[in-house]
Amino acid sequence: MSLVAELKRRNVFRVGAAYAIVGWLLVEVASVILPTFKTPEWVMQAFTLLVILGFPLALIFAWAFELTPEGIKREADVDRAESITHLTGRKLDFAIIGLLLAAVVFLVFEAYILESESELVPSPVGPVSVPVEPVPNGEPTAREKSIAVLPLANRSANEEDAFFVDGIHDDILAQVSKISALKVISRTSVMEYRNTTKNLKTIGQELGVATVLEGGVQRAGDRVRINVQLIDAKTDEHLWADTYDRRLTAANIFSIQTEIAAAIANALRATLATEGRELLNTVPTENMAALEAYFRGKQSMAKRSVAALAEAIDDFNRAIELDPRFALAYVGLADSYQLQSEYSGLAVEEALAKAQAATDKALALDDRLAEAYTSLGGIEHARNNYEAAEAAFRRALELNPNYVTAYHWY
């Protein structure tokens, strides 16, 4: 008898399938329940590891032992003529079917019940703002003026709109970071909470912020709907919420982002300086196709691979072709060229020359662009011009005190 046939006879495959389903269900249920009791993250990690380690043990047990009318016996001690593995196999088949049904029920429950409870239900009439409650003890403390902007959920029917949703998230984060009175957590730090099962209180504690912004984007035809809500991470209470349902244009996208940033500043009593208001009201491009190309370029650039960086350069060039005055697209192009020297083997001097040209163009279009000065700082640093690099980074931080990328490279 072949090994595969013997594995089938001893129901090893069936036991493996049943264990895999049970293990998955246990991990999924634990991921929902454990955060409710505020258990440390290592508990979930240890539990998952134990479930994984149990899989080979279950296969070994199924091979070495057999279920008989007298109980569990070693397979070697069972007479083949008296073996009932075929009956046990039938029972396991029914068990697997039952477990699969349980898994489907859980998936439906998780997708439609748990998720719906965590989402802000959009108003059928239009935007509805939650009034900001007065702060009883006066001005918020420094920690209370801190925020994490979590990745937005893609609520569009088309999964390919994920790049668009990520682009909206990046821009909202960029707009909020222009509020100098706020401590804003970086994109890198918040991206690990995409599709997380952790509650907002836990996220707030881990990131050291008092408030969390979450929401979603739905794109359908020539319309876009953006739902956002600002949550007090300590009490899980809504500080502010809004739904923006407008025609899909670049001007409307930037207008929504500006309104969100201003509303957050108001909710957290964060004073907006005149320069900050001017930065918030800046419209980088009014060309929707250029904006989408820019979003694609940003997502490709973040992957840091040879092919992705080439795609990013194509996307940024496409954005520039559609709107030659789109300064941020030149910044993306400059950063992609610099990254190519590290990840794609492009000669350093050639990369820096191309990056310099793109940065110069960006600054010629907008000399208050913190992103452009950060790119310039990177170029000067690569050329060992440290004083010029420091001056560029300092200028970037003067323009945007919350720009994490500038802090990182500086």
Side-chain angles (χ1 to χ4, degrees), residues 11 51 66-67 70 97 106 134 141 171 174 189 197 213 246 249 262 307 319 328 351 380 398:
N11 295 316
V51 171
E66 183 176 325
L67 181 64
E70 292 79 29
I97 292 172
F106 179 82
T141 63
D171 275 6
S189 296
T197 57
L213 186 77
R246 299 180 189 174
T249 66
L328 281 173
E380 296 293 359
E398 286 175 7

Side-chain angles (χ1 to χ4, degrees), residues 58-98:
L59 298 182
I60 293 171
F61 188 87
W63 173 267
F65 294 89
E66 183 176 325
L67 181 64
T68 70
E70 292 79 29
I72 297 175
K73 295 183 179 180
R74 289 181 55 202
E75 195 280 334
D77 298 335
V78 179
D79 190 337
R80 290 291 176 91
E82 299 177 357
S83 175
I84 59 168
T85 53
H86 60 291
L87 297 177
T88 307
R90 289 288 301 277
K91 293 178 181 179
L92 283 171
D93 288 339
F94 288 121
I96 291 171
I97 292 172

Side-chain angles (χ1 to χ4, degrees), residues 24-25 28-29 32 101-111 114:
W24 178 83
L25 276 171
E28 287 295 310
V29 172
V32 174
L101 288 174
V104 170
V105 170
F106 179 82
L107 285 173
V108 172
F109 174 77
E110 185 179 39
L114 295 181

Side-chain angles (χ1 to χ4, degrees), residues 35-55:
T36 304
F37 296 98
K38 302 178 183 178
T39 55
E41 190 172 350
W42 67 263
V43 175
M44 184 64 200
Q45 294 171 343
F47 179 76
T48 304
L49 181 61
L50 287 174
V51 171
I52 294 172
L53 292 176
F55 182 73

